[in-house]
Amino acid sequence: MNKGKCYFCGKEFAKSTIERHFLCCKQRQEYLQKISESKNLTPKEVFILNIYPPHLKSLYWLYIMVDANATLKDLDKFLRDVWVECCGHLSEFKIGDVLYQENPDPDYLSLCYMTGKSVKTMKEKLKNILSEKLIFDYEYDFGSTTHLKIKVIKKDVLPQEKKIIILARNLPPIYSCSYCDKKASYFCYHCGNFICNECIKKHSSTHSDYVEEIANGLANSPRNGVCGYGFQDNSHKEKKYLPTL
């Protein structure tokens, strides 16, 4: 089972224990005290969320702390920055029987009205729609869809310096090359093979018609290999969501 890292102490834990760890992590408690004192922050309502793809939940997962006054659009932007954005596809949240989209299409709104469905915008604040233990859905790209589950682990009152802070994240999964069992660096979404640095040349020579589409390699994301999503250096985007230690 894939491990992950606590973004406060830097230690690695199994998915089964990471949640229990960061809720009582000493370095996290010191961080909260530090930002409260140095920045004179007033404690506010926050949600702790676990985000994962239902079919790969042991491999890819995120734990974040988000300001209850943040909107679904803020959460959508975070997911795009860190995990799913490739070509600016549409996305939506589903909470209960309500769909939340950035700019609902008028024709779609009419269809939903006729079928009794409800559609709202992502401008809704989290504090008005989330509650502890709630599990809801997120989808990015309605063609080659990446489906995520989001679980509200806890509601708390804590000092928060940013709208969203990453608490913990899975380490990049290690895949074996489909040809030689060495560590893979690439994934071909045409033939479904994982490929190492040595076998990529052989694979490229026999699949020269689409080799450019796999050249970016593996990504630490549940969207890996979908719609050409490959290794992308999102460190500059992820950095703005990290705790300032």
Side-chain angles (χ1 to χ4, degrees):
M1 182 173 291
N2 194 36
K3 290 186 176 182
K5 182 178 73 173
C6 170
Y7 275 46
F8 294 90
C9 65
K11 295 180 180 178
E12 297 179 7
F13 297 86
K15 172 66 167 62
S16 59
T17 59
I18 190 73
E19 183 178 317
R20 183 168 65 251
H21 162 75
F22 69 67
L23 288 175
C24 59
C25 176
K26 180 181 178 181
Q27 282 81 357
R28 176 172 175 255
Q29 299 303 322
E30 292 174 349
Y31 158 80
L32 292 172
Q33 182 177 354
K34 176 184 176 181
I35 64 169
S36 178
E37 294 174 352
S38 63
K39 300 186 179 181
N40 194 29
L41 298 176
T42 302
K44 62 178 71 174
E45 286 188 348
V46 298
F47 290 105
I48 294 177
L49 307 180
N50 174 208
I51 309 169
Y52 57 92
H55 60 299
L56 294 171
K57 60 183 180 181
S58 64
L59 291 180
Y60 300 103
W61 43 267
L62 286 162
Y63 283 93
I64 65 173
M65 184 165 68
V66 54
D67 188 335
N69 281 305
T71 65
L72 285 173
K73 179 58 184 173
D74 294 322
L75 186 55
D76 175 62
K77 186 177 187 308
F78 166 77
L79 293 171
R80 288 170 178 269
D81 283 347
V82 176
W83 251 10
V84 300
E85 183 67 277
C86 61
C87 307
H89 295 293
L90 297 176
S91 60
E92 72 178 13
F93 293 93
K94 182 180 180 182
I95 304 177
D97 295 327
V98 183
L99 301 177
Y100 296 86
Q101 301 178 347
E102 182 176 7
N103 295 302
D105 182 86
D107 293 335
Y108 186 68
L109 286 174
S110 299
L111 177 62
C112 289
Y113 178 77
M114 293 171 60
T115 57
K117 295 182 180 180
S118 179
V119 181
K120 298 183 178 180
T121 73
M122 292 186 186
K123 294 180 181 179
E124 294 283 340
K125 290 186 176 182
L126 301 185
K127 66 179 182 181
N128 297 328
I129 50 181
L130 301 190
S131 57
E132 286 191 344
K133 309 307 178 183
L134 174 70
I135 299 177
F136 58 103
D137 298 274
Y138 173 82
E139 290 187 348
Y140 173 84
D141 183 2
F142 302 152
S144 302
T145 306
T146 294
H147 177 206
L148 304 177
K149 289 284 188 180
I150 304 175
K151 181 179 180 180
V152 182
I153 300 297
K154 186 179 181 181
K155 184 178 181 180
D156 212 335
V157 179
L158 298 168
Q160 175 90 327
E161 63 172 330
K162 303 175 182 180
K163 285 185 179 180
I164 298 176
I165 290 178
I166 301 176
L167 302 174
R169 181 181 184 179
N170 69 281
L171 297 176
I174 297 176
Y175 294 98
S176 297
C177 178
S178 302
Y179 298 101
C180 70
D181 288 335
K182 292 182 180 179
K183 180 181 177 181
S185 299
Y186 302 89
F187 174 75
C188 175
Y189 64 91
H190 282 277
C191 64
N193 287 321
F194 290 95
I195 312 159
C196 71
N197 288 326
E198 294 181 12
C199 293
I200 188 64
K201 293 182 179 180
K202 177 182 177 180
H203 185 84
S204 300
S205 64
T206 56
H207 300 81
S208 58
D209 53 333
Y210 59 77
V211 64
E212 291 183 0
E213 298 181 5
I214 63 169
N216 286 333
L218 295 171
N220 186 13
S221 162
R223 193 165 175 76
N224 181 56
V226 179
C227 192
Y229 192 100
F231 175 76
Q232 300 183 33
D233 185 6
N234 291 336
S235 58
H236 64 292
K237 293 183 178 180
E238 183 189 61
K239 186 176 181 180
K240 62 184 178 183
Y241 298 108
L242 300 183
T244 306
L245 301 176

